[in-house]
């Protein structure tokens, strides 16, 4: 018995000003057998729109991002794109999942330029989109039915049919013929190969070689035996004869002379032989400072050793909440700035950011007025080089970052609960100067742990890592396809700024909302 195939699920992402054009595209796709998802058509009153959108993106087979000048305007934050890019990381290499579809002549955002786009305003634009959807449907076993032509083309003028003369005679049943035009063969577009991320190589620790120390109990036993032998010799009657006094002449009396008290010429060893290890004094450790300045002049704050609750029940990759014990560490008080990173570049240690502008500024990196703003457009490897090679520090682990952000009382945000634009930068439409949100600091005095820019951490990402992660100083999976980012950015919804929220990107990813900070062990 044949199983009926399900229709292809397509999520439509768009700017609000383009809703009319995207609604027409939604209608056309629906007529062509696509299970299209559009927020204006699918969301019901009272639903949690963020949850529903995130769910729809994760369940989609393809995400079509409708690009336009409205989509790219300054300050516009299209969160569905971030969700789509996150989900794309989970797809096998070579799969068609994100399709940028231009509604007009415009520039694609930096994050979308790796994907080949289609121009829906061109004559064959819609047909090319359908070819890509057909390829995807065949790969996953979904169905894509051809439309009946009841809806006109959205982005091009329909061809005008002209009547020829003389007027043809009416057809009769006998003369009516069906002509079936052959369907064009679907030709999948060639996809650019994606880089595979090598698993990090871990050098084995050298084995310690050397003689084993002699146990204290053995030393005490040997010396005790020697003392017994010496005491026996001293108590011998032969030794007593050497020191026996001359007899006193007398007629009748006899007596026995006890051996005299003898003090040997060589020293005796008695008290020192009974010392135990517990009698040694343990030095008291020097307390760690709450704040230090490293050799490069960067201020770092202490996060004390101890246990905290990591994770939440909000999303699957944050489950289950679990106890994690961490050693003490220091973390940068602020995100790494343009000025600090430029010093590393000028010294020839770091490579320059991949873009010197920002989302709304053509001049950003290298412009003195933005020296104290977070550096952006650096990938994971560039961040690692800056921390390890230039600063003598390291990227924080994911567990360290979360404890530094939320403390030990399971708070949702660094400042406890609730969020508004006075506590974090997610309202400005671009980066802001580090340390601008005094009321949004973490329990350990760290700034911008929510908002401004996403921050690279050391770990590989795994959605199920929390289910079996170590309870003490976890370092993340041994390998993966994406590195973890934390904290949310100016580009994101409020929910993304939660201290337990997890994100992941390819280590080679760069964008205008990704930065980092460093950590170090005491």
């Amino acid at each position: 018995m044949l199983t009926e195939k399900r229709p292809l699920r397509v999520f439509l992402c768009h700017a609000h000003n383009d809703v009319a054009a995207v609604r027409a595209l939604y209608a056309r796709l629906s007529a062509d057998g696509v299970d299209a998802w559009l927020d204006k058509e699918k969301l019901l009153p009272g639903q949690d729109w963020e949850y529903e959108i995130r769910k729809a993106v994760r369940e989609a087979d393809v995400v079509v991002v409708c690009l336009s000048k409205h989509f790219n305007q300054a300050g516009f934050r299209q969160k569905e794109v971030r969700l789509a890019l996150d989900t794309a990381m989970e797809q096998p290499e070579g799969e068609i999942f994100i399709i940028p579809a231009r509604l007009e002549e415009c520039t694609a955002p930096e994050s979308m330029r790796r994907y080949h786009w289609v121009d829906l305003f061109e004559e064959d634009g819609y047909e090319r989109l359908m070819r890509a959807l057909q390829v995807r449907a065949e790969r996953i076993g979904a169905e894509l039915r051809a439309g009946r032509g009841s809806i006109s083309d959205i982005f091009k003028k329909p061809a005008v049919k002209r009547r020829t003369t003389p007027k043809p005679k009416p057809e009769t049943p006998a003369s009516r013929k069906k002509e079936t035009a052959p369907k064009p063969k679907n030709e999948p577009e060639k996809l650019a190969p994606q880089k595979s991320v090598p698993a990090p190589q871990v050098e084995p620790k050298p084995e310690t070689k050397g003689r084993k120390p002699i146990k204290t109990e053995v030393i005490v036993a040997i010396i005790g035996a020697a003392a017994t032998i010496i005491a026996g010799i001293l108590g011998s009657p032969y030794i007593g004869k050497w020191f026996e006094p001359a007899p006193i002449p007398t007629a009748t009396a006899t007596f026995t002379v006890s051996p005299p008290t003898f003090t040997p010429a060589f020293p005796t060893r008695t008290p020192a032989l009974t010392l135990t290890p517990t009698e040694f004094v343990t030095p008291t450790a020097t307390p760690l400072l709450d704040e230090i300045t490293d050799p490069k002049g960067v201020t770092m704050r202490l996060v004390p050793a101890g246990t905290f609750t990591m994770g939440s029940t909000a999303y699957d990759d944050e489950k289950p909440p679990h106890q994690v014990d961490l050693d003490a560490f220091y973390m940068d008080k602020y995100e790494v700035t343009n000025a600090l990173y430029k010093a590393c570049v000028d010294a020839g240690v770091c490579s320059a950011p991949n873009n010197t502008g920002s989302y709304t500024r053509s001049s950003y990196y290298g412009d003195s007025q933005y020296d104290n703003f977070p550096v952006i457009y650096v990938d994971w490897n560039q961040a690692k080089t800056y921390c390890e090679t230039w600063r003598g520090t390291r990227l924080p682990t994911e567990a360290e970052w979360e404890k530094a952000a939320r403390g030990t009382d399971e708070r949702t945000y660094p400042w406890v609960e609730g969020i508004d634009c006075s506590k974090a930068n997610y309202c400005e439409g671009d980066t802001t100067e580090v340390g601008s949100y005094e009321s949004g600091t973490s329990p350990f005095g760290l700034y911008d742990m929510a908002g401004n820019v996403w921050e690279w951490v050391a770990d590989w990402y795994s959605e199920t890592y929390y289910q079996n992660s170590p309870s003490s100083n976890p370092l993340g999976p041994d390998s993966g396809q994406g590195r973890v980012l934390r904290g949310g950015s100016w580009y994101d919804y409020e929910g993304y700024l939660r201290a337990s929220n997890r994100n992941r990107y390819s280590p080679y990813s760069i964008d205008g909302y990704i930065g980092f900070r460093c950590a170090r062990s005491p």
Side-chain angles (χ1 to χ4, degrees):
M1 181 177 180
L2 295 177
T3 303
E4 186 177 356
K5 294 182 178 179
R6 65 168 177 82
L8 187 73
R9 293 189 290 257
V10 175
F11 182 92
L12 297 177
C13 176
H14 65 95
H16 295 297
N17 289 356
D18 297 321
V19 65
V22 179
R23 261 183 170 148
L25 176 61
Y26 167 82
R28 179 67 179 271
L29 290 170
S30 298
D32 283 344
V34 175
D35 181 9
W37 199 99
L38 179 64
D39 53 1
K40 297 295 183 182
E41 300 292 337
K42 296 291 187 179
L43 284 177
L44 299 175
Q47 284 187 312
D48 182 339
W49 56 270
E50 181 180 352
Y51 171 80
E52 293 298 332
I53 288 175
R54 184 162 184 159
K55 178 183 177 184
V57 171
R58 286 194 172 275
E59 292 179 350
D61 301 315
V62 178
V63 175
V64 175
V65 183
C66 300
L67 303 177
S68 69
K69 294 174 183 176
H70 295 301
F71 190 93
N72 296 332
Q73 68 185 2
F76 183 78
R77 295 171 292 147
Q78 192 50 261
K79 305 305 185 293
E80 292 90 340
V81 172
R82 178 60 39 229
L83 288 167
L85 293 172
D86 290 349
T87 309
M89 291 292 299
E90 303 170 1
Q91 304 296 320
E93 291 188 4
E95 290 292 340
I96 296 176
F97 181 73
I98 296 178
I99 302 178
R102 298 200 306 172
L103 305 180
E104 60 184 348
E105 287 285 354
C106 61
T107 302
E110 187 77 30
S111 58
M112 304 295 295
R113 292 178 186 173
R114 59 182 293 192
Y115 302 104
H116 187 55
W117 65 79
V118 59
D119 291 330
L120 293 180
F121 55 87
E122 291 186 349
E123 184 176 357
D124 62 343
Y126 183 78
E127 285 72 18
R128 294 185 67 239
L129 172 63
M130 290 301 294
R131 285 173 55 199
L133 296 181
Q134 182 66 48
V135 170
R136 176 64 168 159
E138 291 175 355
R139 290 287 294 272
I140 64 175
E143 184 180 37
L144 191 62
R145 299 186 302 271
R148 300 179 181 178
S150 58
I151 300 178
S152 61
D153 199 316
I154 311 165
F155 301 98
K156 65 178 181 178
K157 295 181 180 180
V160 178
K161 296 182 179 180
R162 300 181 183 277
R163 179 177 295 175
T164 58
T165 54
K167 184 176 180 179
K169 297 180 181 180
E171 293 182 341
T172 63
S175 62
R176 186 179 296 117
K177 295 182 179 180
K178 294 183 179 180
E179 296 182 1
T180 305
K183 296 182 180 179
K185 184 178 180 181
N186 295 315
E187 299 178 1
E189 297 179 3
K190 294 184 178 179
L191 302 175
Q194 300 184 5
K195 296 182 179 179
S196 60
V197 180
Q201 300 296 320
V202 181
E203 296 183 1
K205 294 183 179 179
E207 295 183 358
T208 303
K209 295 184 178 180
R211 290 182 292 180
K212 296 182 179 178
I214 301 176
K215 294 184 177 180
T216 304
E217 293 86 347
V218 176
I219 297 175
V220 171
I222 294 173
I223 298 177
T228 302
I229 293 171
I230 292 172
I233 294 173
L234 294 178
S236 170
Y238 297 101
I239 295 296
K241 288 183 179 181
W242 298 343
F243 301 96
E244 186 176 330
I248 300 174
T250 174
T252 58
T254 60
F255 59 90
T256 303
V257 179
S258 299
T261 302
F262 172 69
T263 302
F266 49 85
T268 59
R269 305 176 184 273
T270 49
L273 300 179
T274 58
L275 288 177
T276 62
T278 57
E279 294 177 83
F280 291 100
V281 178
T282 302
T284 304
T286 304
L288 297 174
L289 299 175
D290 288 337
E291 185 170 299
I292 62 172
T293 302
D294 78 353
K296 299 299 182 183
V298 180
T299 304
M300 306 185 80
R301 296 284 300 178
L302 174 68
V303 180
T307 303
F308 81 108
T309 300
M310 186 174 186
S312 77
T313 57
Y315 294 104
D316 288 343
D317 66 349
E318 300 174 30
K319 298 176 183 178
H322 56 290
Q323 293 292 299
V324 173
D325 186 60
L326 295 178
D327 296 337
F329 62 96
Y330 285 96
M331 184 176 281
D332 288 355
K333 187 174 183 179
Y334 307 104
E335 292 161 334
V336 175
T337 63
N338 284 322
L340 290 173
Y341 191 82
K342 189 174 185 297
C344 181
V345 175
D346 293 344
V349 176
C350 296
S351 57
N354 293 271
N355 191 332
T356 58
S358 72
Y359 199 72
T360 63
R361 311 171 186 113
S362 59
S363 177
Y364 180 73
Y365 174 80
D367 189 329
S368 60
Q369 65 179 319
Y370 300 114
D371 277 353
N372 209 33
F373 285 60
V375 67
I376 52 178
Y377 290 110
V378 288
D379 65 21
W380 184 87
N381 296 287
Q382 288 174 297
K384 182 175 183 288
T385 297
Y386 171 87
C387 289
E388 293 185 1
T389 308
W390 176 246
R391 289 266 308 277
T393 57
R394 56 181 171 78
L395 287 172
T397 66
E398 186 175 15
E400 287 177 335
W401 194 100
E402 185 167 328
K403 182 178 181 180
R406 74 189 307 192
T408 58
D409 55 2
E410 302 184 43
R411 58 184 62 188
T412 301
Y413 298 99
W415 50 87
V416 189
E417 302 302 325
I419 183 171
D420 59 60
C421 295
S422 69
K423 292 183 172 61
N425 174 20
Y426 67 103
C427 307
E428 298 299 324
D430 209 331
T431 57
T432 52
E433 186 174 4
V434 299
S436 297
Y437 296 85
E438 187 70 35
S439 62
T441 56
S442 81
F444 304 107
L446 305 175
Y447 287 79
D448 299 310
M449 295 296 282
N452 217 14
V453 292
W454 285 100
E455 298 179 14
W456 290 115
V457 298
D459 303 33
W460 289 104
Y461 173 83
S462 169
E463 185 175 5
T464 59
Y465 180 66
Y466 287 5
Q467 297 175 14
N468 299 293
S469 60
S471 60
S472 178
N473 298 311
L475 302 177
D478 294 333
S479 62
Q481 291 186 333
R483 294 285 184 177
V484 176
L485 297 106
R486 286 303 201 108
S489 75
W490 59 265
Y491 190 81
D492 292 288
Y493 290 122
E494 296 88 341
Y496 280 73
L497 277 62
R498 292 178 300 104
S500 61
N501 183 54
R502 308 176 69 202
N503 197 358
R504 74 282 192 202
Y505 265 27
S506 162
Y508 304 104
S509 296
I510 55 171
D511 226 315
Y513 38 78
I514 296 178
F516 67 100
R517 72 178 79 209
C518 305
R520 67 181 301 172
S521 301

